């Protein structure tokens, strides 16, 4: 028996699909602007702030690329969180939405990780002290806290090695993961759209045949 979904479910499903497109678009904007910024950015404790200042003030349209990178990065977090809320309110708990749920949750965690790893890359006072506090929280984790701190900092204190490691995690690991997860999330949403639209087209076709007869 074929049952058409309610109007509310249709709105929630299509909203989720639109948001998945927005998320992928923002990921691509953040990635492309990040590549442009990396041409001039120097991941070193003594040069990170100066290189970003040079990009903003001296490089043509450098301020625009930096602002676009910042806005796109924060926009992904907002859109990913809204996407989870939309899927929850739309009661998307069936097997067909399993991939969308998993990719959406991991995508949200990944983009939060991107924001977290970027706090020290600017090498300003606010980012430095925020990261120092975060390291204290990480070190307090039982059993693995000290090891995680050493992996992130590359030693006992925050130095050039710390900036280089977080830059690598931010630019190569988390960025690639975010793009892959956003693509998977979009494809899963489009697959659900196809699965839902096919029965509806069949119902409309049967209805048209009955009307003609």
């Amino acid at each position: 028996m074929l049952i058409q979904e309610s109007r509310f479910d249709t709105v929630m499903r299509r909203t989720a699909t639109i948001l998945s497109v927005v998320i992928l678009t923002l990921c691509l904007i953040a990635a492309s602007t990040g590549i442009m910024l990396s041409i001039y950015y120097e991941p070193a404790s003594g040069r990170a702030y100066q290189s970003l200042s040079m990009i903003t003030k001296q490089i043509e349209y450098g301020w625009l690329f930096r602002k676009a990178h910042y806005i796109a990065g924060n926009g992904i977090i907002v859109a990913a969180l809204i996407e989870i809320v939309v899927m929850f309110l739309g009661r998307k708990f069936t097997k067909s939405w399993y991939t969308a749920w998993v990719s959406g949750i991991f995508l949200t965690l990944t983009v939060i990780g991107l924001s977290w790893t970027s706090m020290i890359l600017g090498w300003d006072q606010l980012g430095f002290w925020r990261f120092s506090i975060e390291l204290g929280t990480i070190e307090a984790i039982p059993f693995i806290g000290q090891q995680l701190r050493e992996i992130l900092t590359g030693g006992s204190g925050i130095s050039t090695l710390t900036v280089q490691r977080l830059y690598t995690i931010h630019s190569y690991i988390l960025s690639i993961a975010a793009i892959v997860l956003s693509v998977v999330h979009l494809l899963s949403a489009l697959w659900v759209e196809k699965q839902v639209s096919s029965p509806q087209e069949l119902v409309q076709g049967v209805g048209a045949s009955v009307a003609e007869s």
Side-chain angles (χ1 to χ4, degrees):
M1 182 179 178
L2 296 174
I3 302 176
Q4 289 182 293
E5 62 180 357
S6 66
R7 183 175 180 81
F8 176 79
D9 291 335
T10 302
V11 171
M12 290 294 101
R13 172 172 53 80
R14 291 180 178 174
T15 301
T17 303
I18 293 172
L19 284 172
S20 62
V21 174
V22 172
I23 290 171
L24 178 57
T25 303
L26 291 174
C27 281
L28 294 176
I29 293 174
S32 59
T33 53
I35 292 173
M36 295 175 184
L37 292 174
S38 67
I39 297 175
Y40 299 98
Y41 176 73
E42 298 181 36
S45 58
R47 293 293 302 169
Y49 180 83
Q50 295 178 7
S51 62
L52 288 176
S53 179
M54 181 192 68
I55 291 172
T56 304
K57 298 177 181 178
Q58 300 180 20
I59 304 301
E60 188 175 8
Y61 300 113
W63 64 270
L64 179 60
F65 292 133
R66 190 177 178 187
K67 180 65 69 173
H69 187 72
Y70 176 80
I71 294 175
N74 287 292
I76 298 170
I77 298 177
V78 174
L81 291 173
I82 295 176
E83 174 81 323
I84 292 177
V85 173
V86 168
M87 290 192 296
F88 178 80
L89 294 178
R91 304 181 297 277
K92 308 304 182 184
F93 305 120
T94 59
K95 289 183 178 181
S96 60
W97 282 90
Y98 179 79
T99 303
W101 269 109
V102 173
S103 60
I105 292 173
F106 277 102
L107 174 63
T108 304
L109 295 175
T110 301
V111 294
I112 291 174
L114 280 168
S115 177
W116 188 84
T117 53
S118 68
M119 77 171 68
I120 195 64
L121 298 183
W123 199 255
D124 53 6
Q125 290 187 0
L126 179 60
F128 181 88
W129 291 114
R130 280 183 59 194
F131 188 70
S132 300
I133 296 172
E134 294 289 342
L135 284 179
T137 304
I138 291 174
E139 193 173 8
I141 299 175
F143 305 112
I144 61 172
Q146 184 63 35
Q147 289 76 9
L148 287 176
R149 177 189 171 93
E150 292 179 357
I151 290 173
L152 292 173
T153 61
S156 58
I158 303 174
S159 62
T160 294
L161 189 57
T162 306
V163 179
Q164 291 174 345
R165 291 193 175 190
L166 290 179
Y167 177 72
T168 300
I169 295 172
H170 179 89
S171 301
Y172 299 104
I173 300 175
L174 295 180
S175 295
I176 294 174
I179 293 175
V180 171
L181 288 170
S182 62
V183 171
V184 172
H185 188 71
L186 175 59
L187 291 177
S188 62
L190 293 176
W191 184 81
V192 172
E193 285 279 353
K194 183 178 179 180
Q195 294 296 112
V196 173
S197 61
S198 296
Q200 289 180 349
E201 290 174 358
L202 180 59
V203 170
Q204 293 174 358
V206 172
S209 299
V210 172
E212 291 176 357
S213 61

